[in-house]
Amino acid sequence: MLLHNVFTKTIRDLRWPTFWVALGMGAMTGYFAVLFPTYSKIVDLNSILEKMGPAAKLMGDIGDVSTLVGFLHIELFSMILPALIVTYAAGMASGFTAGEESRGTIDVLLSYPVSRSRLILEKSLAVVLGSVLAAVVVWILGIGGAAASASVLPPDRLAEALFMLVLLGLAFGAVALAISAATGNRAAAIGAAVGLMVVMYLVDALASIVDGLGAVRPLSLFHYYMGNDPLRNGISLTDAGVLAAVAVVFLILSVVIFERRDLAA
Amino acid sequence: MTAAIETHKLTKWYSHRSRGILDVDLVVETGQIFGFLGPNGAGKSTMIRLLLDLIRPTSGSAQVLGLDVHRDRLAIDRRVSYVPGELSLYSELTGRQLLTYLGNLQGGVDAVYRDKLIERLELDPDKRIKSLSRGNKQKVGLVAAFMIRPELLILDEPTAGLDPFIQLEFEHLCEEARTEGRTVFISSHQLPEVEHLCDRVGIIREGRLLAVESIAALKERALRRLEIDFGEPVGVEAFANLPGVRDLTVTDSVLRCTVMGSLDALVKAAARYEVRNLRSIDTSLEEIFMAYYGADDGAAEEVSHAAA
């Protein structure tokens, strides 16, 4: 029944959202991988992008979209998958303390031998596991789809891109967690995290066409997520380190803030 | 012996809300059933949530079972259980699932004893909590609290919504806990509900602890309403300023007053005249309780309405 401790209980709470986000991201990836050869035969994707000119750059640094790798990069990894994983991680994390507070269940929970820090850490571990599970589903369906259509999709590169995707999700999830731990307001935390994601996405995308934005580009987490184009080039340890550091720092911040706060009645 | 609860100048100050508490010095001895009484908004829940470290004091300190409520939190949690006033439980779970979860968090409970509690409180443990009535939800909370056999039970308005039979069973559980040397701390805004159960009561109003008394002492200090018929008209001066006498009125030959404590002075003063009849009416603890609040006070009215 998964009711052994806060970690397993959280896995139980997250099972359906995790199932749906994994299925959604996996199905899209598998779908594109299966249909890519057909699709690229009908449409000359590179020529469309050329016609779009600078606007195409808003979809991220453009490579060769006549390959499945380039196509997935643009179609999924630059925007849709980040939006889904961030919404998932931030949505779940924002409920960890604020959800228990607004439902009023935190009084009973904390009257058992569970410290506030353990509460946050065990719940966070569950969303890490959920994100990794979702990434594994995407990997299986992506590799399966590519095999079915005999397209080239290097398994290690896909794994590396998904690793970066998970880190991006967890970084924004930790931001949402910190906001919700500080305010007890779940909606504000989700809104702020998703809003921040949109702004950071735009900053990174616009920076490739607007010179003046170059200076602020390092402030965008998308810069680290996409900078090395992991689907084509693999992981940059620096980039991964930055995302992981953001996640860890905001997790620690959440614990520190939540330990000190008066909890809502 | 270590007190079950001990606070020193415990203060929680809210700038814009009334529910704070101020300089509360409270000692609750072990092995007692202690009633923590006051009208809604007096600071009862604030006090309890401070003891549970859910909120932090502005100043002052609090110990539970001799341990610091903040520093020794987990050690306290293992030995203390709590049923909040606004009880919220994971509504998607069944009662049994919730009790399993909380039992696991506790590090295991006696399942036989837990099932006996379920039976005694007539809880249907296989219904989802969201489908339970307030009273049935309360039963889940009570089973969860008693099943760990805590050294101290902190119960915030625990009987709300319970039917009389279950309330009686709840009182037996509290008495059993006391027999085993455990302590029960019950908050209530209804004295009649807890007066037969409690050994001592503390009375809180507007955040200040007004008094802590044993029920026996409260009864000793009982107010009596007296009516004396004299054989002749008497002057009010003869009875004014007698110790313990208040609300004195004299109409011709009839004296009416309330007396707190000993009747001695009044009886001796009355003996100077011909006494034809003397009627004494014992007042309820409710009235003693209200005497603390002051009769013209809104809070007293609230208490009396709540009790009615």
Side-chain angles (χ1 to χ4, degrees), chain A residues 3 100 103 116 259 262, chain B residues 12 53 56 90 92 104:
Chain A
L3 296 168
E100 299 264 5
R103 293 171 76 188
R116 294 188 189 189
E259 281 283 358
D262 282 356
Chain B
K12 180 69 183 177
D53 196 40
R56 307 281 159 66
Y90 301 104
E92 72 280 7
N104 287 337

Side-chain angles (χ1 to χ4, degrees), chain A residues 1-10 12-13 100 103-116 118 123 258-265, chain B residues 12 14 49 52-56 70 73-74 77-78 80 82 84 86-93 97-98 100-106 144-145 147-148:
Chain A
M1 283 195 299
L2 289 172
L3 296 168
H4 307 287
N5 51 45
V6 175
F7 171 64
T8 58
K9 165 75 161 59
T10 310
R12 189 181 194 278
D13 295 342
E100 299 264 5
R103 293 171 76 188
T105 48
I106 198 131
D107 275 34
V108 170
L109 180 59
L110 290 182
S111 76
Y112 286 80
V114 176
S115 69
R116 294 188 189 189
R118 211 182 100 194
K123 287 192 172 225
F258 191 61
E259 281 283 358
R260 283 155 193 269
R261 231 184 84 224
D262 282 356
L263 302 182
Chain B
K12 180 69 183 177
Y14 293 109
R49 297 184 89 243
L52 287 147
D53 196 40
L54 292 165
I55 53 177
R56 307 281 159 66
H70 179 62
R73 189 67 245 154
L74 294 184
D77 286 339
R78 285 189 194 97
V80 174
Y82 165 50
E86 299 276 329
L87 179 63
S88 302
L89 303 167
Y90 301 104
S91 55
E92 72 280 7
L93 299 181
Q97 287 172 329
L98 181 85
T100 302
Y101 180 47
L102 297 178
N104 287 337
L105 293 181
Q106 182 66 26
M147 74 178 177
I148 67 168

Side-chain angles (χ1 to χ4, degrees), chain A residues 144-169:
Chain A
S149 68
S151 307
V152 178
L153 184 59
D156 50 346
R157 289 288 179 261
L158 181 61
E160 287 175 279
L162 287 167
F163 178 75
M164 293 302 284
L165 184 74
V166 167
L167 284 183
L168 182 77

Side-chain angles (χ1 to χ4, degrees), chain B residues 33-38 155 157-159 167 170-171 174-175 178 185-202 215 285-286 289:
Chain B
I33 302 178
F34 187 93
F36 192 54
L37 298 166
L155 309 170
E157 308 267 352
T159 52
Q167 188 163 334
F170 160 74
E171 287 170 11
C174 290
E175 282 157 2
R178 173 172 58 190
F185 182 91
I186 302 176
S187 89
S188 178
H189 60 275
Q190 306 188 10
L191 180 66
E193 203 171 71
V194 293
E195 69 170 77
H196 54 284
L197 188 60
C198 294
D199 304 295
R200 284 168 80 79
V201 291
I215 291 282
L285 282 189
E286 191 66 28
F289 184 59

